Amino acid sequence: MGALESYLKNTGTGGGEKFSRFLDLLSEWNGKFNLTAITDREDAEIKHIIDSLLGAEFIRGDSVLDIGAGAGFPSIPLAIAMPDKKFTLVDSLNKRVGFLNAAITELGLDNVTALHSRAEDLPRTLYDTVTARAVAPMNVLAEYCLPFVRTGGVMLAYKGSTVAGELAEAQNAIRVLGGGQPQVYTKTLCATGREPVGRTFVVIEKLRPSPHAYPRGGNKPRLKPL
């Protein structure tokens, strides 16, 4: 039994055929567009699909925005596992959005929409949860995500084990943008006999609205972080 099959069985998560087909599509498109550096099938099951699904328990509400969706992680696996929630995927590269739209159609994911846009160009629609995985340091990521979280909702960042230093530098940005005290959770990915792989989740509750000036345009979140 493979890593993904074992994980789905142990957690009672449905959608096994769709996860498998999604990895097939990723492999097919990767040859043309270099969507991921992970090409081994079991590595992809662990480091893409299972990794994405580990964040499911932190999703709040019914609407989810994924900033910098890339090849669809974590949002496509989460959308497969949580068909009752609406997912909006945003990426700044049109070739990646093309792949996402092809996957959405092929997998019949009527709860998912993909948009070609930069975060700072999005209309100020508010979501229950805003996710991001491997996009930017926390002080930059907070500005990309928190303005789109409704009060009472959460920002969910998929980070690595060294996130403590990033959080120390992000305290001002989180405060300015209306976020509360970050909550940090660490999980181990199912590795089926391989070296265990860890994932750290940062969950920030939105306590008050963000000022309308954010996120700033002109790449300012990266060039001049709050």
Side-chain angles (χ1 to χ4, degrees):
M1 184 180 296
L4 179 57
E5 184 182 358
S6 177
Y7 177 85
L8 297 178
K9 181 178 179 180
N10 291 338
T11 59
T13 304
E17 291 185 3
K18 288 188 176 182
F19 292 124
S20 181
R21 181 55 185 146
F22 182 48
L23 289 179
D24 290 342
L25 288 169
L26 181 63
S27 179
E28 292 169 15
W29 281 66
N30 201 46
K32 298 182 289 183
F33 294 123
N34 192 28
L35 296 167
T36 176
I38 298 173
T39 56
D40 178 81
R41 181 73 173 210
E42 189 167 22
D43 275 351
E45 289 182 358
I46 295 169
K47 298 178 181 179
H48 278 331
I49 303 295
I50 296 174
D51 180 54
S52 297
L53 293 175
L54 284 177
E57 68 178 271
F58 306 114
I59 298 293
R60 186 176 298 186
D62 297 324
S63 60
V64 182
L65 173 68
D66 186 16
I67 296 289
F73 304 106
S75 45
I76 294 291
L78 288 172
I80 292 171
M82 309 170 90
D84 56 321
K85 300 185 187 300
K86 297 293 185 181
F87 289 78
T88 301
L89 285 53
V90 175
D91 199 89
S92 61
L93 287 186
N94 201 38
K95 66 179 183 180
R96 291 197 289 245
V97 176
F99 165 70
L100 294 173
N101 278 322
I104 290 166
T105 300
E106 176 73 19
L107 300 174
L109 299 177
D110 57 8
N111 61 327
V112 184
T113 301
L115 302 176
H116 176 218
S117 178
R118 297 177 64 88
E120 55 265 40
D121 296 328
L122 287 173
R124 183 66 75 83
T125 302
L126 299 180
Y127 298 81
D128 297 315
T129 301
V130 178
T131 65
R133 178 178 181 258
V135 172
M138 282 300 303
N139 56 350
V140 177
L141 200 58
E143 185 168 350
Y144 286 146
C145 295
L146 279 172
F148 301 102
V149 182
R150 68 165 180 81
T151 301
V154 294
M155 169 185 166
L156 170 61
Y158 285 63
K159 303 297 290 185
S161 59
T162 59
V163 73
E166 290 186 30
L167 284 172
E169 295 183 355
Q171 287 301 310
N172 182 62
I174 294 169
R175 178 187 58 80
V176 168
L177 296 164
Q181 181 65 31
Q183 303 298 310
V184 180
Y185 305 88
T186 300
K187 293 183 174 291
T188 300
L189 278 68
C190 166
T192 61
R194 299 187 178 194
E195 189 71 21
V197 179
R199 167 63 75 189
T200 300
F201 295 94
V202 178
V203 181
I204 303 174
E205 184 173 8
K206 185 71 170 290
L207 301 182
R208 57 190 179 280
S210 303
H212 286 289
Y214 301 103
R216 295 167 292 167
N219 208 25
K220 288 181 180 177
R222 291 183 183 271
L223 297 175
K224 296 181 178 180
L226 291 172

